[in-house]
Amino acid sequence: MAANNYIPKEPTVIDCNIEKTLNVIGGKWAFLVLRELFGGTRRFGELQRLIPAVSPRALTSTLRHLEEQGVLERCVYPTVPVTVEYSLTPKGEDLHQIMKEMKLWAAKWT
């Protein structure tokens, strides 16, 4: 009998831009953080007050993720106590139209 020389193919990876976008903004709290930052620069405490359901730990994690993705920038001022402000980068500002469209869709269908 002939030897079985079957070599399984590796799965094909399909590059999906929608998936890439969701990886950037798909976190549970990211939408709410972005919504607040569309209104301008905010401090950590302001974001906590504006999004009362988010824990400090979850907010910190979300802000770090968005910063790593280049969506927002963190500016630290050497005051006592330290002042930290968050604002959107041009990449983050570009998400505004997407969020508006999602809001319109939700108003129509949910």
Side-chain angles (χ1 to χ4, degrees), residues 34 38 70-72 88-97 99:
L34 289 169
F38 288 138
V71 172
L72 64 80
L88 293 174
T89 62
K91 182 178 178 179
E93 290 288 348
D94 273 355
L95 293 169
H96 202 183
Q97 188 60 38
M99 303 284 276

Side-chain angles (χ1 to χ4, degrees), residues 42-55:
R42 302 276 191 224
R43 293 182 181 175
F44 186 89
E46 288 178 290
L47 291 169
Q48 269 195 302
R49 283 189 296 280
L50 293 166
I51 312 168
V54 67
S55 70

Side-chain angles (χ1 to χ4, degrees), residues 10-16:
E10 292 195 28
T12 304
V13 176
I14 299 173
D15 199 22
C16 177

Side-chain angles (χ1 to χ4, degrees), residues 1-7:
M1 259 196 168
N4 185 354
N5 292 331
Y6 174 75
I7 300 173

Side-chain angles (χ1 to χ4, degrees), residues 2-3 11 20 24-25 38 58 63-64 76 79 89-90 96 107-109:
K20 289 178 184 179
V24 172
I25 62 170
F38 288 138
L63 291 167
R64 283 182 184 156
V76 180
T79 58
T89 62
H96 202 183
K108 180 177 180 178
W109 295 104

Side-chain angles (χ1 to χ4, degrees), residues 15-94:
D15 199 22
C16 177
N17 289 330
I18 294 171
E19 183 179 3
K20 289 178 184 179
T21 304
L22 289 175
N23 286 336
V24 172
I25 62 170
K28 181 176 180 177
W29 301 107
F31 285 99
L32 298 176
V33 169
L34 289 169
R35 179 191 69 192
E36 299 307 331
L37 291 176
F38 288 138
T41 299
R42 302 276 191 224
R43 293 182 181 175
F44 186 89
E46 288 178 290
L47 291 169
Q48 269 195 302
R49 283 189 296 280
L50 293 166
I51 312 168
V54 67
S55 70
R57 183 176 182 176
L59 181 56
T60 298
S61 175
T62 299
L63 291 167
R64 283 182 184 156
H65 171 76
L66 292 172
E67 184 180 12
E68 289 167 3
Q69 297 300 315
V71 172
L72 64 80
E73 58 188 4
R74 178 179 186 263
C75 189
V76 180
Y77 297 96
T79 58
V80 178
V82 173
T83 302
V84 180
E85 292 183 338
Y86 298 91
S87 58
L88 293 174
T89 62
K91 182 178 178 179
E93 290 288 348
D94 273 355

